[in-house]
């Protein structure tokens, strides 16, 4: 009795399910994922505790409006005589905000002055929303910018390297034990590659989504809803860019690993791919407030998953730039998948020494 051969989609799903099941049964994978989630939650809780124990916000208040304001016991208040004096203190960093008289513009009769971002705590304290003026809208809090850059860079680096290395180890293990010969007798090579990429991409996406959800819940529970509103759009774009960026890297890890037949030879072929992940991590930490470097990073496929979300957070990206960057990433991903599948297909059955890249690319 003849049997109907499985379709490409059915075979791909079968391989991906196998990859997911193997990872979920791995104690090392579950422990590392748990540690990563706990680290994300701990960073939010620690940040909340530190901010709660921080010194009172320093605010300059013009003497002419003191009687019109509610009590400001939660702030360290500095009295000033003129608006110019208040602005000088804000610009110098001596105070974080100022409350001055402005009866001609605001019905409330006051204006809250901030430097680079709205002083939400001061605005909430005066009960009724006053007229707001920002002296420098091009800057974010340096510490917050650094932490956001560190978060994006670290999550991208750890997830990409962890799952990329898992794919590479799986390819080399199947090749060295000749299990791949059995698999190839039942399903096409490209189906095997597609299943590996799909399975590990699903796991990587699920991990990133869990971190994002946990971070959002943590910010809400610790009373940092304003910060969540600021980070929300950049986190969403980070997840989108990471999804396709990881598929690109997964194809490279699988193709590189297919060039060798022994686990000890794997680092020599996967190191270049690992460097492609490490470079964006280092650059976004060192140049998190450099518009030129971030601008270049946001259009390079390997660094776009980190560079573009950072620009969205900083407010320096135009509305069309994420779409253009994502289009470049999608085209690059498709090209790398085609190239990687050729290397993978031509190298998988070649045992022994390392396969030269030129031979792997040849028809």
């Amino acid at each position: 009795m003849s049997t109907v051969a499985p379709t490409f989609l059915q075979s791909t799903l079968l391989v991906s399910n196998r990859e997911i099941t193997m990872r979920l049964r791995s104690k090392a994978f579950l422990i590392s994922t748990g540690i990563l989630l706990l680290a994300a939650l701990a960073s939010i809780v620690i940040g909340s505790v530190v901010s709660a124990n921080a010194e009172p916000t320093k605010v300059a208040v013009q003497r002419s409006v003191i009687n019109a304001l509610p009590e400001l016991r939660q702030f360290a208040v500095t009295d000033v005589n003129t608006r110019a004096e208040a602005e000088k203190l804000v610009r110098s960093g001596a105070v974080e905000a100022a409350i001055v008289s402005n009866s001609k513009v605001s019905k409330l009769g006051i204006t809250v002055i901030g430097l680079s971002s709205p002083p939400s705590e001061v605005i909430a304290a005066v009960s009724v929303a006053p007229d707001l003026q920002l002296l420098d809208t091009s800057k974010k809090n340096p510490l917050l910018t650094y932490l956001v850059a560190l978060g994006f860079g670290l999550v991208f680096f750890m997830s990409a390297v962890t799952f990329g290395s898992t794919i590479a180890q799986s390819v080399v293990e199947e090749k060295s034990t000749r299990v791949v010969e059995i698999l190839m007798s039942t399903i096409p090579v490209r189906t095997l590659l597609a299943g590996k990429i799909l399975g590990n991409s699903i796991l990587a996406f699920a991990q990133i989504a869990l971190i994002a959800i946990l971070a959002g819940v943590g910010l809400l529970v610790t009373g940092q809803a304003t910060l969540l509103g600021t980070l929300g759009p950049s986190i969403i774009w980070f997840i989108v860019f990471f999804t396709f960026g990881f598929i690109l890297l997964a194809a490279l890890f699988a193709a590189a690993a297919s060039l060798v037949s022994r686990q000890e030879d794997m680092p020599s072929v996967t190191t270049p791919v690992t460097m492609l992940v490490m470079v964006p991590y280092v650059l976004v930490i060192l140049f998190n407030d450099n518009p030129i470097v971030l601008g270049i990073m946001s259009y390079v496929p390997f660094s776009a998953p980190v560079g573009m979300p950072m620009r969205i957070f900083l407010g320096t990206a135009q509305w069309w730039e994420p779409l253009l960057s994502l289009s470049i990433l999608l085209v690059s991903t498709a090209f790398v998948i085609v190239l990687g599948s050729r290397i993978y297909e031509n190298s998988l059955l070649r045992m022994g020494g390392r396969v030269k890249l030129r031979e792997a690319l040849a028809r």
Side-chain angles (χ1 to χ4, degrees):
M1 187 175 79
S2 61
T3 58
V4 179
T7 63
F8 176 84
L9 179 60
Q10 290 173 333
S11 300
T12 300
L13 292 177
L14 182 64
V15 175
S16 66
N17 288 337
R18 173 176 172 269
E19 291 290 321
I20 293 173
T21 302
M22 290 177 60
R23 298 288 83 77
L24 293 180
R25 289 177 178 176
S26 170
K27 291 183 179 179
F29 170 74
L30 295 177
I31 292 174
S32 63
T33 299
I35 292 174
L36 190 58
L37 293 175
L38 287 175
L41 182 60
S43 64
I44 295 171
V45 173
I46 292 173
S48 175
V49 172
V50 170
S51 61
N53 295 328
E55 296 181 356
T57 300
K58 297 178 181 179
V59 180
V61 179
Q62 191 173 357
R63 287 189 174 88
S64 59
V65 299
I66 290 179
N67 293 332
L69 298 175
E71 293 185 3
L72 303 175
R73 294 180 179 177
Q74 68 272 41
F75 303 116
V77 177
T78 300
D79 296 339
V80 296
N81 293 317
T82 64
R83 180 190 182 102
E85 187 179 350
E87 289 187 5
K88 183 177 180 181
L89 291 176
V90 173
R91 290 185 187 277
S92 66
V95 297
E96 297 181 29
I99 305 174
V100 299
S101 174
N102 197 350
S103 58
K104 294 181 179 180
V105 177
S106 172
K107 293 181 179 179
L108 187 62
I110 63 173
T111 292
V112 172
I113 299 177
L115 180 60
S116 59
S117 60
S120 55
E121 186 180 2
V122 178
I123 295 174
V126 298
S127 299
V128 181
D131 177 55
L132 174 64
Q133 176 186 350
L134 298 179
L135 300 179
D136 189 352
T137 59
S138 62
K139 296 181 179 180
K140 292 278 188 181
N141 184 302
L143 178 58
L144 178 60
T145 299
Y146 175 80
L147 293 177
V148 171
L150 179 63
F152 283 151
L154 189 60
V155 171
F156 175 73
F157 175 74
M158 291 188 63
S159 296
V161 170
T162 298
F163 288 100
S165 299
T166 298
I167 293 174
Q169 290 174 359
S170 175
V171 171
V172 176
E173 181 181 353
E174 291 174 354
K175 187 174 178 179
S176 61
T177 58
R178 295 187 178 272
V179 172
V180 67
E181 296 179 5
I182 301 175
L183 294 174
M184 289 177 61
S185 66
T186 57
I187 58 176
V189 177
R190 294 191 176 186
T191 302
L192 180 60
L193 175 62
K196 286 184 177 297
I197 293 175
L198 178 61
N200 285 278
S201 296
I202 290 174
L203 287 173
F205 176 82
Q207 188 180 80
I208 295 298
L210 280 175
I211 292 174
I213 293 172
L214 189 63
V217 173
L219 289 172
L220 288 175
V221 171
T222 55
Q224 302 180 74
T226 302
L227 179 57
L228 177 61
T230 303
L231 283 172
S234 56
I235 291 177
I236 293 173
W237 277 108
F238 174 74
I239 294 175
V240 173
F241 273 88
F242 175 86
T243 301
F244 296 103
F246 177 79
I247 293 174
L248 182 151
L249 292 169
L252 288 177
F253 270 109
S258 68
L259 297 174
V260 296
S261 303
R262 301 182 303 174
Q263 291 287 350
E264 53 265 32
D265 295 332
M266 188 181 70
S268 64
V269 293
T270 58
T271 295
V273 186
T274 303
M275 292 300 297
L276 292 176
V277 183
M278 182 176 295
V279 169
Y281 168 64
V282 174
L283 288 178
V284 78
I285 293 177
L286 296 179
F287 302 100
N288 56 76
D289 58 349
N290 188 310
I292 297 177
V293 175
L294 288 179
I296 296 174
M297 288 179 60
S298 64
Y299 287 102
V300 176
F302 304 109
S303 58
V306 176
M308 185 55 74
M310 272 305 301
R311 291 186 62 206
I312 293 172
F313 168 72
L314 294 172
T316 58
Q318 300 295 323
W319 67 267
W320 50 268
E321 290 192 82
L323 301 177
L324 177 59
S325 177
L326 184 60
S327 299
I328 295 174
L329 178 59
L330 291 174
V331 173
S332 301
T333 300
F335 173 77
V336 169
I337 288 176
V338 173
L339 189 67
S341 63
R342 177 183 296 183
I343 297 173
Y344 187 81
E345 189 173 10
N346 291 343
S347 306
L348 207 55
L349 290 179
R350 298 190 181 186
M351 306 299 176
R354 174 177 173 177
V355 181
K356 294 182 179 180
L357 184 60
R358 182 180 299 177
E359 297 176 358
L361 289 171
R363 284 292 183 182

